[in-house]
Amino acid sequence: MTARLIDGKAIAANLQSEIAKRVADRVAQGKAAPGLAVILVGDDPASSIYVNKKVEACQRIGFRSEKITLPSSTSEQELLATIDRLNEDPEINGVLLQLPIPEHIDSNKMLEHISPAKDVDGFHAFNLGRLVQRNPQLRSCTPKGIITLLEAIEGVDIRGMDACVVGASNIVGRPMALELLIKGCTVTVTHRFTRDLAAHVARADLVVVAVGKPGIVKGDWIKPGAVVVDVGINRLDDGRIVGDVDFTEAAKRASWITPVPGGVGPMTVATLMENTLLAAELAETA
């Protein structure tokens, strides 16, 4: 068996085109274009690249965007004041704090300070709570983007599947498990204390891996015919970008698999745009 690739770039491009059309319709009706503010604290090169991609996506779609760059020496109070200003700005519908931030700042405190109505990353406890209650609005971008990917696969229905989520982070693993429960999967979440990771993966019809360790999931663990979603993106010493799954061997057993890069990554940005538009629409009915 040779797996078919889940083309995240193409699916994300289609989603962004749909969003752009909806934004154009809003503007034609005399409504304001949605506004997204992105806060970057410090000078981490990777974070700068991610922020620029988000700003570029705003420009393509027709959003208003504001990029706020703060020095590494920024205090908690200064960052809280910036978030306060954006929370109160009626022209800003979404506020995103790019992670990681300097260690002297409590990231959880900052994320919780963003208004739940503008939490387009879907990290706020209020929005995660809505997901737990199966009544989501603004949802964590990567898990929601993965659901969009899975829904786009021709001939695949994940309802009833045994799903294994490898990694239990607040950003991906935990909300991913909740998204899969809503879709009718039977979900196992594995983590650093899991005793037999291979056995859990081998039973799964659907495997979502989000750990940040290249090759942590071996190809021969994959159940024949399974769907594999690799969230990891790791740069090796030789410069290659690889995921958390041994792609070459896994692709011999899986039915569908995401490439790295070009799989999940584009969907995260596209879902951020989707969330920002939703936040603007919800603000009109509040």
Side-chain angles (χ1 to χ4, degrees), residues 8-279:
K9 285 185 178 180
I11 297 167
N14 288 338
L15 177 57
Q16 291 196 37
S17 294
E18 293 173 8
I19 296 168
K21 291 176 183 176
R22 289 166 60 189
V23 172
D25 289 343
R26 284 177 57 86
V27 173
Q29 295 168 16
K31 298 178 181 179
L36 174 65
V38 184
I39 307 169
L40 175 64
V41 186
D43 53 5
D44 179 73
S47 291
S48 296
I49 291 171
Y50 294 144
V51 165
N52 289 338
K53 285 183 178 180
K54 291 163 185 174
V55 172
E56 290 167 4
C58 287
Q59 294 169 347
R60 287 195 303 272
I61 288 173
F63 286 0
R64 291 171 290 108
S65 64
E66 181 178 350
K67 176 182 174 182
I68 300 117
T69 303
L70 301 173
S72 298
S73 59
T74 300
S75 68
E76 280 196 353
Q77 289 305 312
E78 289 169 330
L79 183 50
L80 287 171
T82 298
I83 294 172
D84 280 334
R85 176 180 69 79
L86 296 171
N87 282 342
E88 296 169 4
D89 187 342
E91 295 188 353
I92 295 297
N93 302 109
V95 178
L96 183 149
L97 175 61
Q98 182 66 43
L99 301 176
I101 57 178
E103 292 183 356
H104 68 275
I105 301 176
D106 183 340
S107 60
N108 287 330
K109 181 178 178 181
M110 300 303 112
L111 293 173
E112 288 293 304
H113 201 69
I114 296 172
S115 167
K118 298 189 178 187
D119 168 40
V120 288
D121 250 340
F123 293 161
H124 196 285
F126 178 86
N127 288 317
L128 288 170
R130 292 193 67 115
L131 185 60
V132 169
Q133 293 182 329
R134 294 176 287 181
N135 187 27
Q137 287 184 341
L138 300 178
R139 298 150 79 169
S140 298
C141 294
T142 297
K144 174 59 168 62
I146 290 170
I147 293 298
T148 304
L149 276 182
L150 294 171
E151 290 175 339
I153 302 175
E154 183 179 354
V156 173
D157 182 0
I158 66 171
R159 179 176 295 178
M161 282 188 175
D162 286 325
C164 180
V165 178
V166 182
S169 72
N170 290 341
I171 293 174
V172 180
R174 292 168 191 259
M176 186 76 252
L178 294 170
E179 291 281 3
L180 292 171
L181 279 172
I182 290 173
K183 288 298 179 180
C185 294
T186 300
V187 184
T188 299
V189 180
T190 65
H191 43 76
R192 59 178 174 158
F193 300 115
T194 297
R195 293 179 179 175
D196 191 347
L197 177 60
H200 290 291
V201 171
R203 287 195 296 269
D205 306 305
L206 168 62
V207 183
V208 181
V209 188
V211 178
K213 293 184 179 179
I216 190 173
V217 171
K218 310 306 178 187
D220 60 4
W221 295 357
I222 300 301
K223 179 180 179 179
V227 177
V228 179
V229 178
D230 192 347
V231 184
I233 183 161
N234 312 284
R235 184 179 295 277
L236 301 182
D237 291 339
D238 61 9
R240 287 183 297 135
I241 301 295
V242 299
D244 291 348
V245 177
D246 177 359
F247 179 87
T248 301
E249 293 304 314
K252 295 176 182 178
R253 298 171 66 86
S255 59
W256 292 88
I257 190 169
T258 57
V260 177
V264 174
M267 293 304 303
T268 300
V269 176
T271 306
L272 173 66
M273 302 297 110
E274 186 178 35
N275 272 351
T276 303
L277 176 55
L278 175 60

